[in-house]
Amino acid sequence: MKVIKIKFEYGCFPVWIYGENNEWIENDLPPYLIGDSDIDPKFVNIQKIYDSLYLDDGKEFKYIGFKEAEKRENFFRELLLVINLLKNKLNDEYIIEDNMNFL
């Protein structure tokens, strides 16, 4: 069975698709969900927030994190919401793995 991993890397879409032998296939939503008006913009926004947790000014690149606990909580709340939406819209061909302990 294919696996969708929710993981974050600076500048990358947070949805990673892997094949049955754990080989990386795509860094995107499954083809039938690309452009989905519920899921796609939410993942784009989550990645935008994640990218904002880094200082990248051309001279320096470093993790700066959330400045307020409330913003961190909102981020994880929104992430859980979109993961649940994704689970509800996926066909039975994918398992979802998420690593929520990264921040």
Side-chain angles (χ1 to χ4, degrees):
M1 182 171 283
K2 293 180 187 172
V3 175
I4 290 181
K5 296 182 182 183
I6 308 300
K7 62 182 187 174
F8 291 88
E9 290 188 25
Y10 184 81
C12 296
F13 196 71
V15 178
W16 301 75
I17 300 174
Y18 289 82
E20 294 176 6
N21 297 318
N22 203 32
E23 74 279 6
W24 175 69
I25 296 174
E26 185 69 57
N27 175 224
D28 208 340
L29 291 168
Y32 60 90
L33 290 177
I34 293 175
D36 182 281
S37 61
D38 291 330
I39 294 174
D40 208 348
K42 285 179 176 46
F43 273 120
V44 168
N45 185 54
I46 286 170
Q47 184 63 42
K48 185 176 176 182
I49 293 168
Y50 178 79
D51 287 349
S52 75
L53 300 176
Y54 289 83
L55 169 65
D56 184 7
D57 63 6
K59 291 189 271 183
E60 185 176 12
F61 180 78
K62 70 178 183 177
Y63 178 75
I64 55 175
F66 289 100
K67 295 189 184 338
E68 301 168 19
E70 182 180 346
K71 288 186 178 183
R72 183 181 189 278
E73 291 168 13
N74 288 340
F75 174 83
F76 280 104
R77 193 174 306 120
E78 188 174 338
L79 180 57
L80 284 173
L81 172 72
V82 73
I83 288 171
N84 285 332
L85 283 172
L86 180 61
K87 286 178 182 177
N88 289 334
K89 290 194 176 197
L90 283 177
N91 295 334
D92 290 336
E93 61 189 287
Y94 296 94
I95 296 170
I96 294 183
E97 294 179 5
D98 57 74
N99 179 4
M100 302 285 279
N101 299 320
F102 60 90
L103 299 175

